[in-house]
Short mmCIF file of all heavy atoms in Angstrom, two decimals:
data_model
loop_
_atom_site.label_atom_id
_atom_site.label_comp_id
_atom_site.label_asym_id
_atom_site.label_seq_id
_atom_site.Cartn_x
_atom_site.Cartn_y
_atom_site.Cartn_z
N SER Z 13 -27.62 75.66 128.73
CA SER Z 13 -26.51 75.43 129.67
C SER Z 13 -25.41 76.47 129.55
O SER Z 13 -25.19 77.07 128.50
CB SER Z 13 -25.90 74.06 129.37
OG SER Z 13 -25.48 74.02 128.01
N ILE Z 14 -24.72 76.63 130.69
CA ILE Z 14 -23.56 77.52 130.77
C ILE Z 14 -22.48 76.72 131.50
O ILE Z 14 -22.71 76.25 132.62
CB ILE Z 14 -23.92 78.78 131.58
CG1 ILE Z 14 -25.10 79.51 130.92
CG2 ILE Z 14 -22.69 79.69 131.72
CD1 ILE Z 14 -25.80 80.51 131.85
N ASN Z 15 -21.32 76.55 130.89
CA ASN Z 15 -20.25 75.74 131.51
C ASN Z 15 -18.93 76.46 131.51
O ASN Z 15 -18.70 77.39 130.73
CB ASN Z 15 -20.02 74.44 130.70
CG ASN Z 15 -21.15 73.45 130.82
OD1 ASN Z 15 -21.92 73.48 131.77
ND2 ASN Z 15 -21.25 72.57 129.84
N MET Z 16 -18.04 75.97 132.35
CA MET Z 16 -16.62 76.30 132.23
C MET Z 16 -15.96 75.08 131.63
O MET Z 16 -16.14 73.97 132.14
CB MET Z 16 -16.06 76.60 133.63
CG MET Z 16 -14.77 77.33 133.62
SD MET Z 16 -15.01 78.97 132.92
CE MET Z 16 -13.40 79.17 132.21
N ASP Z 17 -15.25 75.25 130.54
CA ASP Z 17 -14.58 74.11 129.89
C ASP Z 17 -13.13 74.01 130.36
O ASP Z 17 -12.39 75.00 130.35
CB ASP Z 17 -14.60 74.29 128.36
CG ASP Z 17 -16.00 74.15 127.77
OD1 ASP Z 17 -16.93 73.74 128.52
OD2 ASP Z 17 -16.17 74.43 126.57
N ALA Z 40 -11.83 77.70 129.16
CA ALA Z 40 -12.57 78.64 128.29
C ALA Z 40 -14.05 78.54 128.64
O ALA Z 40 -14.52 77.49 129.08
CB ALA Z 40 -12.36 78.28 126.82
N ALA Z 41 -14.76 79.62 128.45
CA ALA Z 41 -16.20 79.61 128.65
C ALA Z 41 -16.83 78.67 127.62
O ALA Z 41 -16.40 78.62 126.47
CB ALA Z 41 -16.76 81.02 128.49
N GLY Z 42 -17.85 77.91 128.06
CA GLY Z 42 -18.50 76.96 127.16
C GLY Z 42 -19.93 76.68 127.59
O GLY Z 42 -20.56 77.50 128.26
N GLY Z 43 -20.40 75.48 127.26
CA GLY Z 43 -21.80 75.13 127.49
C GLY Z 43 -22.55 75.36 126.19
O GLY Z 43 -22.44 76.43 125.58
N LYS Z 44 -23.33 74.35 125.78
CA LYS Z 44 -23.97 74.47 124.46
C LYS Z 44 -24.88 75.69 124.37
O LYS Z 44 -24.91 76.39 123.36
CB LYS Z 44 -24.75 73.19 124.15
CG LYS Z 44 -23.84 72.00 123.96
CD LYS Z 44 -24.58 70.75 123.55
CE LYS Z 44 -23.69 69.53 123.65
NZ LYS Z 44 -22.44 69.61 122.89
N GLY Z 45 -25.62 75.96 125.45
CA GLY Z 45 -26.52 77.12 125.42
C GLY Z 45 -25.75 78.41 125.29
O GLY Z 45 -26.03 79.24 124.41
N ASN Z 47 -22.69 78.90 124.30
CA ASN Z 47 -21.97 78.99 123.02
C ASN Z 47 -22.91 79.44 121.90
O ASN Z 47 -22.56 80.29 121.07
CB ASN Z 47 -21.38 77.63 122.62
CG ASN Z 47 -20.37 77.09 123.62
OD1 ASN Z 47 -19.86 77.84 124.45
ND2 ASN Z 47 -20.08 75.80 123.54
N GLN Z 48 -24.11 78.89 121.89
CA GLN Z 48 -25.08 79.25 120.83
C GLN Z 48 -25.52 80.70 120.99
O GLN Z 48 -25.71 81.42 120.00
CB GLN Z 48 -26.26 78.28 120.83
CG GLN Z 48 -25.79 76.88 120.44
CD GLN Z 48 -26.87 75.82 120.44
OE1 GLN Z 48 -28.06 76.12 120.43
NE2 GLN Z 48 -26.46 74.56 120.43
N THR Z 97 -19.41 72.24 134.55
CA THR Z 97 -18.07 72.12 133.97
C THR Z 97 -18.07 71.05 132.89
O THR Z 97 -18.86 70.10 132.94
CB THR Z 97 -17.01 71.72 135.04
OG1 THR Z 97 -17.56 70.69 135.86
CG2 THR Z 97 -16.59 72.89 135.90
N ALA Z 98 -17.17 71.20 131.95
CA ALA Z 98 -16.96 70.16 130.94
C ALA Z 98 -15.47 69.85 130.90
O ALA Z 98 -14.65 70.77 130.79
CB ALA Z 98 -17.43 70.64 129.57
N VAL Z 99 -15.13 68.58 131.04
CA VAL Z 99 -13.73 68.16 130.95
C VAL Z 99 -13.53 67.67 129.51
O VAL Z 99 -14.22 66.75 129.06
CB VAL Z 99 -13.43 67.05 131.97
CG1 VAL Z 99 -11.99 66.57 131.82
CG2 VAL Z 99 -13.68 67.57 133.38
N ILE Z 100 -12.63 68.33 128.81
CA ILE Z 100 -12.51 68.10 127.35
C ILE Z 100 -11.09 67.68 127.00
O ILE Z 100 -10.12 68.32 127.43
CB ILE Z 100 -12.86 69.40 126.58
CG1 ILE Z 100 -14.29 69.84 126.93
CG2 ILE Z 100 -12.69 69.21 125.08
CD1 ILE Z 100 -14.73 71.14 126.26
N ILE Z 110 -15.62 64.54 125.53
CA ILE Z 110 -16.13 65.51 126.51
C ILE Z 110 -16.95 64.80 127.58
O ILE Z 110 -17.80 63.97 127.26
CB ILE Z 110 -17.03 66.57 125.83
CG1 ILE Z 110 -16.31 67.26 124.67
CG2 ILE Z 110 -17.51 67.60 126.85
CD1 ILE Z 110 -17.14 68.34 123.95
N ALA Z 111 -16.70 65.14 128.85
CA ALA Z 111 -17.59 64.71 129.95
C ALA Z 111 -18.13 65.98 130.60
O ALA Z 111 -17.35 66.85 130.99
CB ALA Z 111 -16.83 63.87 130.96
N VAL Z 112 -19.45 66.09 130.69
CA VAL Z 112 -20.07 67.29 131.25
C VAL Z 112 -20.64 66.99 132.63
O VAL Z 112 -21.34 66.01 132.81
CB VAL Z 112 -21.20 67.81 130.32
CG1 VAL Z 112 -21.88 69.02 130.94
CG2 VAL Z 112 -20.64 68.17 128.96
N GLU Z 143 -28.98 70.17 127.44
CA GLU Z 143 -28.04 70.14 128.58
C GLU Z 143 -28.65 70.71 129.86
O GLU Z 143 -27.96 70.82 130.86
CB GLU Z 143 -26.75 70.91 128.24
CG GLU Z 143 -25.66 70.01 127.72
CD GLU Z 143 -24.34 70.71 127.47
OE1 GLU Z 143 -24.27 71.96 127.50
OE2 GLU Z 143 -23.36 70.00 127.22
N ASN Z 166 -31.74 72.18 119.30
CA ASN Z 166 -30.55 71.42 118.93
C ASN Z 166 -30.57 70.15 119.78
O ASN Z 166 -30.52 70.23 121.01
CB ASN Z 166 -29.30 72.26 119.21
CG ASN Z 166 -28.00 71.51 118.98
OD1 ASN Z 166 -27.02 71.75 119.66
ND2 ASN Z 166 -27.98 70.61 118.03
N ALA Z 168 -28.84 68.04 121.11
CA ALA Z 168 -27.56 67.63 121.69
C ALA Z 168 -27.46 68.09 123.14
O ALA Z 168 -27.96 69.17 123.47
CB ALA Z 168 -26.40 68.25 120.90
N PRO Z 169 -26.83 67.28 124.02
CA PRO Z 169 -26.35 65.94 123.74
C PRO Z 169 -27.52 64.96 123.72
O PRO Z 169 -28.59 65.29 124.22
CB PRO Z 169 -25.42 65.66 124.92
CG PRO Z 169 -25.97 66.47 126.05
CD PRO Z 169 -26.57 67.69 125.43
N THR Z 250 -12.57 71.08 117.10
CA THR Z 250 -13.96 71.16 116.61
C THR Z 250 -14.97 71.48 117.73
O THR Z 250 -16.16 71.59 117.46
CB THR Z 250 -14.38 69.83 115.94
OG1 THR Z 250 -14.24 68.78 116.89
CG2 THR Z 250 -13.53 69.53 114.72
N VAL Z 251 -14.50 71.62 118.98
CA VAL Z 251 -15.43 71.89 120.09
C VAL Z 251 -16.14 73.22 119.84
O VAL Z 251 -15.48 74.23 119.60
CB VAL Z 251 -14.69 71.94 121.45
CG1 VAL Z 251 -15.65 72.32 122.57
CG2 VAL Z 251 -14.03 70.61 121.75
N GLY Z 252 -17.45 73.19 119.89
CA GLY Z 252 -18.23 74.42 119.72
C GLY Z 252 -18.58 74.72 118.26
O GLY Z 252 -19.32 75.67 117.99
N ALA Z 253 -18.10 73.91 117.32
CA ALA Z 253 -18.40 74.19 115.90
C ALA Z 253 -19.91 74.01 115.64
O ALA Z 253 -20.54 74.83 114.96
CB ALA Z 253 -17.59 73.27 115.00
N GLY Z 254 -20.49 72.96 116.21
CA GLY Z 254 -21.93 72.73 116.04
C GLY Z 254 -22.74 73.85 116.68
O GLY Z 254 -23.76 74.29 116.13
N ASP Z 255 -22.29 74.32 117.83
CA ASP Z 255 -22.99 75.41 118.51
C ASP Z 255 -22.91 76.70 117.68
O ASP Z 255 -23.87 77.47 117.61
CB ASP Z 255 -22.39 75.66 119.90
CG ASP Z 255 -22.53 74.45 120.80
OD1 ASP Z 255 -23.52 73.71 120.63
OD2 ASP Z 255 -21.65 74.24 121.64
N ALA Z 291 -14.26 76.64 122.92
CA ALA Z 291 -15.58 76.81 122.30
C ALA Z 291 -15.87 78.28 122.02
O ALA Z 291 -16.03 78.68 120.86
CB ALA Z 291 -16.65 76.20 123.20
N GLN Z 292 -15.94 79.10 123.04
CA GLN Z 292 -16.35 80.50 122.81
C GLN Z 292 -15.26 81.36 122.17
O GLN Z 292 -15.56 82.18 121.30
CB GLN Z 292 -16.89 81.11 124.10
CG GLN Z 292 -18.22 80.45 124.47
CD GLN Z 292 -18.92 81.11 125.63
OE1 GLN Z 292 -18.66 82.25 125.99
NE2 GLN Z 292 -19.83 80.37 126.23
O1 RIB X 6 -20.76 71.77 122.29
C1 RIB X 6 -19.58 72.06 122.99
C2 RIB X 6 -19.89 72.23 124.45
O2 RIB X 6 -20.34 71.02 124.97
C3 RIB X 6 -18.68 72.61 125.29
O3 RIB X 6 -18.47 73.99 125.37
C4 RIB X 6 -18.98 71.95 126.62
O4 RIB X 6 -19.22 72.85 127.65
C5 RIB X 6 -20.17 71.03 126.36
O5 RIB X 6 -21.32 71.56 126.89
#
Side-chain angles (χ1 to χ4, degrees):
S13 57
I14 301 163
N15 290 337
M16 197 65 211
D17 290 352
K44 293 184 191 305
N47 298 343
Q48 294 179 17
T97 43
V99 177
I100 301 178
I110 305 181
V112 177
E143 265 184 350
N166 175 213
T250 58
V251 176
D255 298 329
Q292 291 188 20

